[in-house]
Each structure stands twice: as structure tokens, then as C-alpha cells.
Amino acid sequence: HLIFYVWFQHKDAYQVILDGVKGGPKEKRLAAQFIPKFFSSFPELADAAINAQLDLCEDEDVSIRRQAIKELPRFAAGENLPRVADILTQLLQTDDSAEFNQVNSALISIFKIDPKGTLGGLFSQILQGEDVVRERAIKFLSTKLKTMPEDVMTKEVEDYVFTETKKVLEDVTGEEFVLLMRVLSGLKYLQTVSGRQQLVELVVEQAFLEQALNPADTDSVDRLLQCTRQALPLFSKNVHSTRFVTYFCEHVLPNLSMLTSPVAELDIQLEILKLLAEMSPYCGDMDKLEANLMMLFEKLLEFMPLPPEDENGENAVSEEPKLQFSYVECLLFSFHQLGKKLPDFLIDKINTEKLKDFKIRLQYFARGLQVYIRQLRVALQGKTGDALKTEENKIKVVALKITNNINVLIKDLFHNPPSYKSTVTLSWKPVQKTEAAPVVGQKRSSGEDTGTGTLGKKVSPLPRRDARQIYNPPSGKYSATIGNFSYGDQTTNKNHNLPQ
């Protein structure tokens, strides 16, 4: 063995091995093993050796490619490591699953040797590489960084990840944005209040909150949706949602009925109202609180109809108004949250006639609620376990949560003066915890693998979550003759859509 090793000290002999990459399968397999084995002994042939190994990584024979890829980390020393990282990142585009896994393993191996050097190769390809390479490099970061030990992911490494990711975020698709936010959210030093605030600032930049919203532009609407969804998990009593809530009140609610949904199945109005409701508890001091409360108040009036005239009234209507419980829950909750900051709003800022009109609407809505809540309770009485898991009963459970929430909030507003002390949990939140299917509001659904699939680079972002459906209770039944209403005839999926 000693003689064998000494023989390989000679440059000419090593060159013969390098030339083996041009030979047949046997010569290539030997070259794939011996080029890295004696690589460190011939630094003057380093470039030639790496290029020869790279040729083997692109061989038509998959077994030769796998062998060559397996040995690539042995070249990752000193100044060669970023180049090896760059090569491995490009090799992520393979469609062979075993080869793809080998590339992942090799990248992880050199990452533990030199994290910043490896990240340099990854980010280089993300910024300048082909679309498929960019996609898979981003997915690698989003799934693998969180598995790295703390002694590898040091503060210096995390700072580098943050700095480079900010560069990438200057031009990303919707899905890339979600994945990169997952990368940043997993960084240890960003788990603090100041860290989460930095992440919110990043999302604000992406959301273009300094610009007015064009409700007819699906790209603009979708960008706002994506950014708000990413910001939501970051908000807390110390990290405020004020800029987003302000933007929704000033630019989105006035155009609510004109918003163009980015996907046909998405009820864009309900989606916007749910996002606003989820953000509202974390809103801090607001410059135009009164104006924004007024906007919420006016929007709430739109969804809370006046009761129909009596039969002898001049303006009698043939059908009673439709009660849109899902919308009203969101608007009432948001109004209730912001109202805490200006508790005298309804007394001091709303004139007597308008306040009287509002209370009439609340009474009419509350009357319908009481009847419907009783009927839902009767329908669900005694049902447990599997009985509650049927589609029909799941719909009824959610309907009961919605109506109970609205009932609690209306009672608060009927206090004299109005009260803002009650606490409710938004109806869809428990559903997110129990439903097996992906739900809107979840940012961390599929995409854990860094396998095949493509992302359109530099195109408008697309929602990756299931569209929410609006819950529509039976309409036209909440009047003085409500006792004639038969609940059993109305419990169809057509009239009851489960909010997801």
C-alpha cells in the first residue's frame, strides 16, 4: 500500500487518473473514486481535478453520477468549498430521486464544514441560476436549515442568511416569498420581539403599503393577501399590526365590493375581513382611529340589514333580508377590538338618528341569532365523537360558533354605554386545529420536500391555500313569523358552507 501511495505522488500518474474520465465505464468508476482520494496531494491540479469530477457528475450512467456526487464533499476544502457548493446546488435540478437525495446529503455535509461558504454557493444560484435550480435551492434552505445544530447555525451564519435573503426578496414570486419567510422565521436570533419586528418590516416592504390599492388588479390584491398571511403569525402585544390594519381600513374596506379575487374559488371579501379580524387584536396606537372606526362602522351597516316593513307598510318587501353571519362576525369583531381604543365612539361620534338605526339593525340580527342558536343546539344535542365528524354536523358546529360570537358582541354593544369587555375566539380558529385538510391562514402546509416541481420566477404570486367558503345560513326567515321556520328542511350543503 505504501508503494501504491508513493506512486500516486507523481503528477503524471494523477493526470492519468484525471484522463480516465474520458474512458469507458470502468475507468470512469475508478476515476470517480481516486480523483478525490488523492486530490489534496496535487494542489496545482485542483481545477482540473474538480472539472474532471464535475464531468463525471454529468455522465449518462446514473451509477457513475451518484459515485461522483458522493465524493464531491472531499473537494470542499478552503477556497474550493464555495465552488463545490455552487456545483452541488446546480445538481439539485436532477429528476432522479436517489441522485437528488445524494446531492442533498452532500450539501448538508459541506454545510457542517463551512456554513457561510456553502450558503454562498446556494445564494449565488438563487440569485443567478436557472429557475429550477433557484426553486430547489430555496426549498433546500426552507427545509434543511432548521435541522442544523446550534454550533453550525451561529449568530454570524444567521446574520448572513438574513442579509442574503433580503437580497432575494427584492424580486420573488408568491411561493418563493412564503418559503423564504419560513427560512427567516426559523432563525433563532429572530425569535425575539426585535427579531419579529424586523420580519414584519420585511413583509411591510413586500406589501407596498405606501401605495394605494388597485382593487381591479389581481396581482396587487394577491400580493396584499400573501404578505398579510405571512405577517399574521408575527403579531403580538409587543409587535403591532397597526400599519396593516390601517391600510385595510383606509384602502381595502372602501373598495371591498370591487376587489378582484386572484382565484375563482376564493371569496375575496370574506378572506379580507377574516384577515382584518385576526390582525385587529394586535393593533397599536392609530393616527386616524376615529376615521378608521367610522369606516368599519359604515361597512358593518352594509352587512346588517334593516328589518322588513310590516305587511301593511308602504315599503313591504316580498323577501326578508339575507343575514350574512360570516361577514358580520369578522366586522363586529374588528369593530369591537378597535372600539376598545375609543369606547365613546358610538356615543360621541355617531349622531342620534344613525345610532338608533344601528340599534334597530342589531336587534333584528340578534332576533334571528337567538332562534338559529336554539335550533342549532337542538340539532347537535347529544351528539359526540364520530357523530360530530359528519360534514353536516361539522357545518352546524361552526355555525354555532359564529352565531354565539356575534351574539356576545352584540350584547356588548347594547350596553349603555357600549361595552368592549367580552372576549370571543374567532370561529374558524378551532377549525384550523382540527381539520385534516389544509385551511386558509396556514402558511406552513405542503412543500416540506425539496423535490421536483417548479416555481415561476418573477411572476405574480399565486395563493397556495384552499379557498374559503362563506357560511350562508337560511335567509329570509328571521321575522315575527320565525316560529314557522323548519330547521330540518334547511340543512343542506347548498345553504350551509363550512368556513375553512
Side-chain angles (χ1 to χ4, degrees), residues 37-179:
K37 185 172 184 178
F38 298 100
F39 171 72
S40 59
S41 299
F42 302 97
E44 69 275 19
L45 291 176
D47 284 344
I50 293 175
N51 288 333
Q53 195 77 3
L54 182 56
D55 287 342
L56 295 174
C57 291
E58 298 173 344
D59 197 82
E60 293 180 358
D61 188 327
V62 66
S63 64
I64 293 174
R65 291 203 306 271
R66 291 177 188 171
Q67 178 65 37
I69 291 169
K70 181 182 178 182
E71 301 292 345
L72 267 181
R74 299 179 70 167
F75 295 86
E79 62 183 17
N80 293 319
L81 190 140
R83 184 182 177 191
V84 173
D86 192 277
I87 292 168
L88 284 168
T89 304
Q90 293 181 59
L91 291 172
L92 285 170
Q93 65 187 293
T94 178
D95 292 324
D96 181 273
S97 59
E99 190 175 334
F100 177 81
N101 291 335
Q102 205 158 36
V103 173
N104 271 269
S105 297
L107 274 170
I108 292 171
S109 175
I110 67 170
F111 195 101
K112 293 176 180 178
I113 298 171
D114 182 354
K116 286 184 68 175
T118 306
L119 287 166
L122 284 159
F123 278 109
S124 172
Q125 286 300 316
I126 289 172
L127 289 167
Q128 303 171 13
E130 297 294 324
D131 285 357
V132 65
V133 175
R134 173 186 171 98
E135 170 211 345
R136 295 185 185 181
I138 291 175
K139 285 188 176 181
F140 177 88
L141 292 174
S142 71
T143 56
K144 304 302 182 184
L145 286 193
K146 60 188 177 185
T147 67
M148 296 297 174
E150 288 189 15
D151 62 334
V152 173
M153 292 299 294
T154 62
K155 174 68 163 58
E156 182 185 5
V157 172
E158 289 196 341
D159 283 340
Y160 184 77
V161 172
F162 185 75
T163 301
E164 294 302 305
T165 301
K166 284 179 67 176
K167 296 177 185 177
V168 181
L169 283 172
E170 293 175 7
D171 190 0
V172 289
T173 67
E175 189 174 347
E176 289 172 346
F177 176 59
V178 171
L179 291 174

Side-chain angles (χ1 to χ4, degrees), residues 11-56:
K11 181 178 177 180
D12 291 345
Y14 191 62
Q15 185 63 56
V16 171
I17 296 299
L18 297 182
D19 293 338
V21 302
K22 301 173 185 177
K26 290 183 180 181
E27 288 82 1
K28 290 179 179 179
R29 288 190 181 92
L30 286 172
Q33 296 177 48
F34 288 119
I35 291 174
K37 185 172 184 178
F38 298 100
F39 171 72
S40 59
S41 299
F42 302 97
E44 69 275 19
L45 291 176
D47 284 344
I50 293 175
N51 288 333
Q53 195 77 3
L54 182 56
D55 287 342
L56 295 174

Side-chain angles (χ1 to χ4, degrees), residues 383-391 393-394:
K383 291 183 171 62
T384 58
D386 291 341
L388 289 175
K389 294 179 182 178
T390 66
E391 192 63 28
N393 283 333
K394 284 194 292 186

Side-chain angles (χ1 to χ4, degrees), residues 262-276:
V263 288
E265 300 83 7
L266 183 69
D267 182 338
I268 187 63
Q269 293 190 53
L270 181 59
E271 176 72 0
I272 287 293
L273 294 179
K274 287 195 172 186
L275 290 172
L276 176 59

